[in-house]
Amino acid sequence: RPEFAGFPVQFGELQQGWYVFMVPPRSTGQRQKGQVTVAGDSEITVQWIKKGEMGDDDDDEEAEGEVDVISLSSFEGQTSPVLGQSHDGEVYHPLLDTSGIFCSCGIRDKWAPHFTILTCLSFAHSAIEAPTNEDGMRPVPAGSSNEMCFCTVNPGACQDFQDGQWQQLARRRFFTEKGV
């Protein structure tokens, strides 16, 4: 199981409450999980997690270790990319709601006994891999003659998609502490 599921972050992207995976200033060179308790323009404060592994769902894993103030230059001087996780991860996609559920009318309207789990997976794959901010039909799998309906269910993501901001926002929200 991965030690930390996150994405490479820039200093300015970090917010209070986020988790980071980086080499602490007083470390022997091994990366450690910590929680950002203060996020400023030129420095962040990180409280290092002492117990438990990343990915454990234990409620007793708390940020109770040492605290370090990390400057922008120290952050940028890390030899390995600093990984980060949002504290409030959610699915953010025009075709999926915040729980990761998509409108099933495409499967329901085309259902036949010959459908297999592969068809359902192809439908989900197409919804996730080819986002759009418009309802409509599309071939599933791609390139086939079998068209299925795709409905938008997240108006905020549709607007951000139209404005060209969706991809960056979705990336932030997908790759969070839930390890999606």
Side-chain angles (χ1 to χ4, degrees), residues 68 72 95 126:
D68 284 315
L72 173 61
L95 301 174
S126 183

Side-chain angles (χ1 to χ4, degrees), residues 130-156:
T132 181
N133 64 337
E134 297 177 3
D135 295 343
M137 303 291 280
R138 93 167 61 147
V140 174
S144 76
S145 61
N146 181 37
E147 288 200 334
M148 299 174 85
C149 178
F150 288 85
C151 302
T152 57
V153 295
N154 189 332

Side-chain angles (χ1 to χ4, degrees), residues 4 6-11 13-14 18-24 31-32 34 36 44 46 48 70-72 74-85 171:
F4 189 91
F7 59 93
V9 292
Q10 301 297 316
F11 188 86
E13 295 177 306
L14 294 172
W18 279 42
Y19 293 98
V20 291
F21 191 59
M22 62 185 289
V23 177
R31 291 205 258 183
Q32 189 174 339
V36 177
I44 58 172
V46 176
W48 303 104
I70 300 168
S71 68
L72 173 61
S74 175
F75 182 92
E76 291 176 343
Q78 294 278 311
T79 56
S80 299
V82 176
L83 301 181
Q85 304 172 332
R171 178 181 170 263

Side-chain angles (χ1 to χ4, degrees), residues 7 13 92 164-174:
F7 59 93
E13 295 177 306
Y92 194 65
Q165 300 172 358
W166 171 79
Q167 189 170 18
Q168 181 181 8
L169 293 169
R171 178 181 170 263
R172 290 196 89 67
R173 295 178 185 193
F174 271 130

Side-chain angles (χ1 to χ4, degrees), residues 10-108:
Q10 301 297 316
F11 188 86
E13 295 177 306
L14 294 172
Q15 299 174 21
Q16 182 177 343
W18 279 42
Y19 293 98
V20 291
F21 191 59
M22 62 185 289
V23 177
R26 294 176 274 200
S27 170
T28 59
Q30 186 171 353
R31 291 205 258 183
Q32 189 174 339
K33 177 184 175 184
Q35 186 172 22
V36 177
T37 57
V38 177
D41 293 335
S42 60
E43 59 186 27
I44 58 172
T45 303
V46 176
Q47 189 166 25
W48 303 104
I49 308 288
K50 282 173 63 172
K51 59 183 176 178
E53 286 184 76
M54 181 57 204
D56 286 353
D57 292 330
D58 298 337
D59 291 334
D60 62 347
E61 183 182 271
E62 296 290 330
E64 59 182 44
E66 296 181 9
V67 174
D68 284 315
V69 176
I70 300 168
S71 68
L72 173 61
S73 61
S74 175
F75 182 92
E76 291 176 343
Q78 294 278 311
T79 56
S80 299
V82 176
L83 301 181
Q85 304 172 332
S86 168
H87 66 287
D88 61 351
E90 65 181 48
V91 174
Y92 194 65
H93 194 284
L95 301 174
L96 302 171
D97 69 14
T98 57
S99 300
I101 306 297
F102 51 84
C103 177
S104 62
C105 70
I107 293 174
R108 182 189 66 233

